[in-house]
């Protein structure tokens, strides 16, 4: 049995060595990781608007296709708007807005801001809304792109940190995401989020099926998380959309 | 107060660590031969979860979460140490487990020898780390919410392991096919219990 | 490594070979030692994640075993659990950070497994039971052997769950190609749920022990 002194010394040396290795790795690698994260975000935004992007050409495509980056507040007023070319891709306030913080403010009833990206294809505007929510094991996120009527869905992307492989993790597959295309966010002028329905949309009334998609079997909690994320993030844009119309 | 109670009941039945999330399976299967030892392990888990979840809660609130260090001064507000949360949680858990190990060794040597290798394994019992990670993810408002969640999860595990141990004690008198005896039949019974517990999933509290 | 194998054949003495082979069958981590069940349930809904998990466990278990075995004389017994966990966790986090910086797409696929690997009791169990008392080379073999033993069960379970639950194998729609849906066949959604993984493992144990009576338990 070693003395207590040895144990303390061993533990402190271990803590210092490990902390040094991990922190320096985190510091050194941070710029690369941040860049990768930004590229991944751009890829998500572009893909939801049906612009195929790879890690290599994401920055260029983002520069070419995203015509406007807007920050809106919860009353529907525009806080900041940057047109194409005014800022470097990935540097605008709208792009770097921390959605988690803003949604936290929303939860506490404070004023908050939300981002909105605009892309233009064939002369038609597409609005892209970033999403953030909670799945079973960790955060889920995504982007939803809508036509300029702010209702018809053009495309979505989802990502997740740690959902169960093969079950909840299926939200990031094309098969799941393709279901969203053509769904509507508004019903008779009123906001009606898209829900992820357990047992399939066949269980919904016929006229409501345009607001629902099939859940993933075995991934119920993640599916509910996606539903909640859509409702919680999209409703923030209603004041802005109403003002616009 | 009612909210705390809700979280407690919810984490025992609806969000049961073993049957709803299938965490903590290894020790659950290996230490459920008799009700007595499983009771010992169950109580150890309740104890460890009841301590680590609130401790990790404080750690998360005041050290790890983005902006958590702002109490040190405004210049620290930008720090985000969340990449360390895995290793910090694990360290807290491991030290708590080591503590429990020492206490059990001192005061209940019989229990210590029957728990054998599985006491240190509580440290990697995914139910324990899972508890801390769920706590971080669900962003409980106060430390009391986090504590009642930790205790509830522990009691849920206790309930599950004592339940299976009781079944295993009884099944000893049944004529199970020889190759299925012991571990095999335990796996299958656990599967069936899990399916039964799924019926709690729809309840909203 | 392959060079070593040829030049120093005694490295694979009968004893060492046993370390590598036993965990595949008699000493299987899942069916005999009851280690690593949680992750076996979490990643076996499809074959692909099961395969990725197997590879990661092989790498992590091999290295962690060697590192702990090298450190084994210095580790104070009272804080050994913390030391072992710190070794595993920092190894995994470090790899995760490097992947995130340089091969982001791979890291996105793997990030899910990081937590599962750290808390995988196979790793901790083998460190505690073997690496703490043995030299680096046997520890390495023990690690690899156990990881393979764990892996094959994982892949077998995943095969049945994916085939019967989703009708695919490695995401290839086998059932659709066979055309069985036309006869009214439906995927058994039940297979995807975690309890079914338990029941499949139970059946594997049943088969294994029917063949090898020495593994049968008393009661």
């Amino acid at each position: 049995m070693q003395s207590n002194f040895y144990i303390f010394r061993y533990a402190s040396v271990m803590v210092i060595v490990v902390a040094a290795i991990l922190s320096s790795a985190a510091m050194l690698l941070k710029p690369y990781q941040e860049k990768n994260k930004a590229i991944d975000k751009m890829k998500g935004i572009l893909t939801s608007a049906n612009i195929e992007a790879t890690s290599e050409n994401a920055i260029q495509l983002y520069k070419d296709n995203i015509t406007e980056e807007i920050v809106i507040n919860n009353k529907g007023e525009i806080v900041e708007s940057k047109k194409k070319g005014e800022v470097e891709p990935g540097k605008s306030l709208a792009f770097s807005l921390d959605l988690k913080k803003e949604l936290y403010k929303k939860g506490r009833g404070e004023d908050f801001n939300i981002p909105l990206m605009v892309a233009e294809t064939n002369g038609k505007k597409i609005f892209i809304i970033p999403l953030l929510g909670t799945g079973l094991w960790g955060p889920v996120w995504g982007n939803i792109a809508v036509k300029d009527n702010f209702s018809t869905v053009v495309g979505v992307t989802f990502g997740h940190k740690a959902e169960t492989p093969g079950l909840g993790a299926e939200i990031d597959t094309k098969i799941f995401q393709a279901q969203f295309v053509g769904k509507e966010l508004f019903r008779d002028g009123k906001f009606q989020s898209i829900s992820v329905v357990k047992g399939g949309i066949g269980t919904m009334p016929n006229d409501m099926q345009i607001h629902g998609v099939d859940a993933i079997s075995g991934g119920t909690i993640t599916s509910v998380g996606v539903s909640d994320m859509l409702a919680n993030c999209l409703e923030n844009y209603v004041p802005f959309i109403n003002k616009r119309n | 107060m009612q909210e705390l109670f809700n979280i407690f009941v919810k984490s025992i039945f609806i969000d049961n660590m073993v049957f709803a999330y299938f965490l903590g399976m290894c020790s659950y299967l290996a230490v459920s031969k008799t009700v007595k030892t499983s009771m010992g392990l169950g109580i150890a888990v309740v104890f460890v979860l009841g301590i680590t979840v609130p401790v990790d809660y404080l750690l998360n609130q005041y050290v790890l979460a983005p902006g958590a260090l702002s109490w040190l001064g405004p210049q620290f507000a930008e720090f985000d140490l969340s990449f360390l949360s895995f290793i910090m949680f694990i360290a807290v858990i491991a030290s708590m487990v080591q503590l429990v190990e020492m206490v059990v060794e001192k005061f209940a040597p019989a229990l210590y020898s029957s728990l054998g290798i599985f006491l240190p394994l509580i440290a990697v019992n995914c139910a324990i780390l899972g508890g801390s990670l769920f706590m971080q993810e669900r962003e409980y408002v106060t430390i009391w919410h986090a504590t009642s969640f930790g205790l509830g999860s522990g009691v849920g595990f206790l309930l599950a392991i004592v339940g299976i141990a009781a079944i295993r004690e009884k099944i000893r008198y049944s004529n199970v096919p020889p190759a299925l005896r012991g571990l095999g039949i335990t796996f299958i019974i656990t599967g069936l219990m899990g399916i039964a517990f799924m019926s709690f999933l729809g309840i909203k509290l | 490594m392959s060079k070593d194998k040829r030049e120093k054949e005694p490295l694979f003495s009968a004893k060492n070979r046993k370390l590598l082979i036993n965990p595949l069958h008699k000493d299987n981590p899942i069916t005999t030692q009851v280690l690593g069940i949680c992750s076996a349930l979490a990643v076996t809904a499809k074959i692909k994640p099961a395969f990725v998990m197997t590879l990661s466990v092989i790498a992590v278990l091999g290295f962690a075993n060697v590192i702990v075995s090298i450190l084994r004389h210095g580790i104070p017994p009272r804080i050994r659990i913390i030391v072992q966990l710190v070794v595993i966790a920092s190894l995994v986090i470090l790899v995760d950070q490097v992947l995130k910086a340089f091969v982001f797409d791979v890291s996105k696929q793997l990030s899910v497994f990081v937590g599962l690997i750290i808390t995988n009791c196979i790793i901790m169990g083998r460190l505690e039971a073997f690496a703490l008392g043995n030299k680096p080379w046997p520890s390495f073999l023990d690690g690899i052997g156990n990881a393979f033993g764990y892996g094959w069960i994982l892949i077998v379970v995943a095969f049945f769950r994916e085939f019967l639950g989703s009708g695919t194998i490695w995401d290839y729609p086998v059932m659709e190609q066979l055309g069985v849906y036309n006869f009214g066949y439906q995927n058994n959604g039940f297979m995807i749920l975690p309890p079914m993984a338990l029941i499949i493992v139970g059946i594997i144990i049943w088969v294994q022990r029917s063949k090898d009576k020495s593994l049968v338990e008393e009661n």
Side-chain angles (χ1 to χ4, degrees), chain C residues 31-48:
Chain C
T31 61
T32 317
Q33 301 178 46
V34 209
L35 293 173
I37 311 288
C38 318
S39 55
L41 297 175
V43 299
T44 52
K46 288 256 167 85
I47 298 178
K48 224 183 197 166

Side-chain angles (χ1 to χ4, degrees), chain B residues 22-26 29-30 33 83 86-87 90-91 94-95 97-98 101-102 117-121 123-126 129 168 172 177-184 187-188 190-192 194-195 198, chain C residues 30-32 34-38 41 77-82 85-86 89-90 93 97 114-115 118-119 121 124-125 128-129 190 193-195 198-199 201-203 205-206 209-210 216-219:
Chain B
F22 296 90
L23 293 175
M25 272 289 159
C26 309
L29 289 165
K33 283 209 175 98
F83 71 96
F86 253 126
I87 201 160
I90 284 269
S95 26
V97 169
Q98 203 101 54
E101 192 187 359
M102 287 194 256
I117 187 180
F118 287 99
L119 207 47
L121 286 186
V124 274
N125 186 329
C126 6
L129 184 67
R168 286 181 80 172
R172 208 165 291 162
L180 209 51
R181 277 177 202 168
L183 200 55
F187 265 96
I188 292 175
T190 309
L192 294 176
I195 293 168
M198 284 194 158
Chain C
I30 291 187
T31 61
T32 317
V34 209
L35 293 173
I37 311 288
C38 318
L41 297 175
R78 276 200 223 159
I79 57 165
R80 66 181 193 285
I81 301 177
I82 307 176
L85 277 175
V86 167
S90 21
I93 293 175
Q97 295 269 344
V114 172
I118 295 179
T119 51
C121 32
M124 184 75 184
E128 181 87 12
F190 220 53
L193 301 177
L198 281 170
I199 293 178
V201 175
I203 294 170
I205 295 178
W206 192 1
R209 293 188 183 180
S210 312
V216 171
E217 283 175 60
E218 270 308 299
N219 59 82

Side-chain angles (χ1 to χ4, degrees), chain C residues 139-161:
Chain C
S139 302
F140 180 70
L141 289 181
D142 177 82
I144 302 278
N146 274 286
F148 271 112
Y150 165 82
W152 81 258
I153 302 268
L154 228 60
I155 289 173
V156 170
V157 175
F159 172 79
F160 283 112
R161 284 181 74 188

Side-chain angles (χ1 to χ4, degrees), chain A:
Chain A
M1 191 55 79
Q2 285 101 341
S3 64
N4 286 338
F5 175 68
Y6 178 78
I7 295 179
F8 273 117
R9 207 179 47 183
Y10 193 93
S12 0
V13 169
M14 182 184 73
V15 167
I16 292 167
V17 170
V18 169
I21 294 175
L22 285 184
S23 317
S24 48
M27 298 285 260
L28 282 175
L29 300 175
K30 198 155 194 182
Y32 300 99
Q33 294 177 353
E34 296 283 311
K35 194 177 154 219
N36 283 330
K37 261 188 212 156
I39 290 178
D40 197 57
K41 201 169 171 182
M42 289 179 193
K43 246 167 80 181
I45 291 172
L46 290 169
T47 314
S48 68
N50 292 330
I51 303 164
E52 284 301 324
T54 63
S55 305
E56 286 75 40
N57 63 13
I59 296 181
Q60 190 56 41
L61 279 175
Y62 191 85
K63 212 173 176 176
D64 294 344
N65 287 290
I66 302 299
T67 50
E68 207 176 345
E69 295 173 297
I70 310 171
V71 179
I72 308 166
N73 67 12
N74 51 326
K75 297 180 199 77
E77 295 148 355
I78 291 178
V79 178
E80 192 202 74
S81 164
K82 291 278 182 220
K83 287 259 177 354
K84 181 176 174 176
E86 276 184 64
V87 281
E88 286 273 298
K91 292 274 164 22
S92 72
L93 181 61
F95 187 83
S96 48
L97 199 65
D98 187 348
L99 207 50
K100 190 174 172 191
K101 266 188 202 154
E102 301 301 325
L103 290 176
Y104 181 69
K105 282 188 206 158
K106 178 190 174 189
R108 301 210 309 189
E110 295 169 16
D111 286 344
F112 60 97
N113 294 327
I114 38 178
L116 178 69
M117 318 290 168
V118 188
E120 228 171 275
T121 45
N122 306 331
K124 287 236 169 89
K125 274 188 175 174
I126 293 176
F127 295 95
I128 302 151
I129 298 169
L131 308 164
L132 182 72
T134 324
L136 168 59
W137 305 106
V140 289
W141 57 83
N143 298 287
I144 184 164
V146 290
K147 282 191 183 157
D148 57 357
N149 64 0
F150 254 110
S151 179
T152 317
V153 178
V154 176
V156 292
T157 53
F158 293 117
H160 63 94
K161 188 171 167 214
E163 299 309 301
T164 319
L167 304 178
E170 297 287 290
I171 57 168
D172 66 6
T173 58
K174 287 236 159 62
I175 308 165
F176 179 70
Q177 293 168 6
Q179 295 186 73
F180 284 85
V181 177
K183 302 284 173 183
E184 299 284 340
L185 295 179
F186 277 82
R187 182 173 186 77
D188 306 330
K190 276 208 146 161
F191 173 64
Q192 170 74 46
S193 181
I194 297 173
S195 37
V196 184
V197 186
K198 196 182 172 180
I201 53 171
T203 59
M204 295 172 100
N206 273 343
D207 58 329
M208 285 299 282
Q209 290 186 2
I210 197 80
H211 304 297
V213 296
D214 297 341
I216 303 149
S217 50
T220 310
I221 298 174
T222 312
S223 302
V224 172
V226 170
S227 271
D228 291 348
M229 167 170 84
L230 285 165
N232 186 31
C233 289
L234 292 175
E235 69 179 14
N236 306 334
Y237 293 85
V238 174
F240 172 76
I241 298 165
N242 287 340
K243 241 176 218 178
R244 191 170 157 271
N245 292 341

Side-chain angles (χ1 to χ4, degrees), chain C residues 3 21 48 89 142 182 197 206 212:
Chain C
K3 228 180 185 179
I21 307 240
K48 224 183 197 166
D142 177 82
N182 300 337
W206 192 1
D212 190 345

Side-chain angles (χ1 to χ4, degrees), chain B residues 13-195:
Chain B
F13 292 104
I14 303 169
D15 291 339
N16 189 293
M17 277 290 177
V18 176
F19 293 126
Y21 296 119
F22 296 90
L23 293 175
M25 272 289 159
C26 309
S27 29
Y28 165 86
L29 289 165
V31 194
S32 56
K33 283 209 175 98
T34 62
V35 171
K36 210 177 151 209
T37 44
S38 59
M39 196 72 167
L41 182 77
I43 290 170
V45 168
V46 174
F47 182 73
V48 172
L49 263 175
I51 294 180
T52 55
V53 172
V55 170
D56 284 343
Y57 179 84
L58 292 178
L59 199 62
N60 187 43
Q61 287 287 305
Y62 295 106
V63 183
L64 296 174
L69 283 173
S70 50
W71 57 274
L72 276 177
Q75 69 270 37
F76 291 99
E78 285 300 306
F79 274 38
D80 177 3
L81 294 179
S82 47
F83 71 96
L84 284 176
S85 52
F86 253 126
I87 201 160
M88 292 302 280
F89 287 174
I90 284 269
V92 168
I93 291 166
S95 26
M96 284 303 148
V97 169
Q98 203 101 54
L99 198 72
V100 173
E101 192 187 359
M102 287 194 256
V103 170
V104 172
E105 192 179 6
K106 182 130 194 172
F107 295 105
L111 185 64
Y112 179 75
S113 56
S114 64
L115 289 182
I117 187 180
F118 287 99
L119 207 47
L121 286 186
I122 290 185
V124 274
N125 186 329
C126 6
I128 312 269
L129 184 67
S132 287
L133 293 176
F134 277 146
M135 172 275 296
Q136 191 186 27
E137 201 49 54
R138 293 181 192 166
E139 292 173 346
Y140 287 111
V141 216
T142 69
I143 188 168
W144 303 114
H145 290 77
T147 313
S148 86
F149 164 72
L151 286 175
S153 304
V155 174
F157 183 84
L158 177 76
L159 186 81
I161 196 170
V162 171
I164 189 86
I167 296 180
R168 286 181 80 172
E169 278 193 1
K170 286 282 171 209
I171 218 163
R172 208 165 291 162
Y173 306 107
S174 318
N175 189 14
V176 181
L180 209 51
R181 277 177 202 168
L183 200 55
I185 193 75
T186 314
F187 265 96
I188 292 175
I189 294 173
T190 309
L192 294 176
M193 285 169 89
I195 293 168

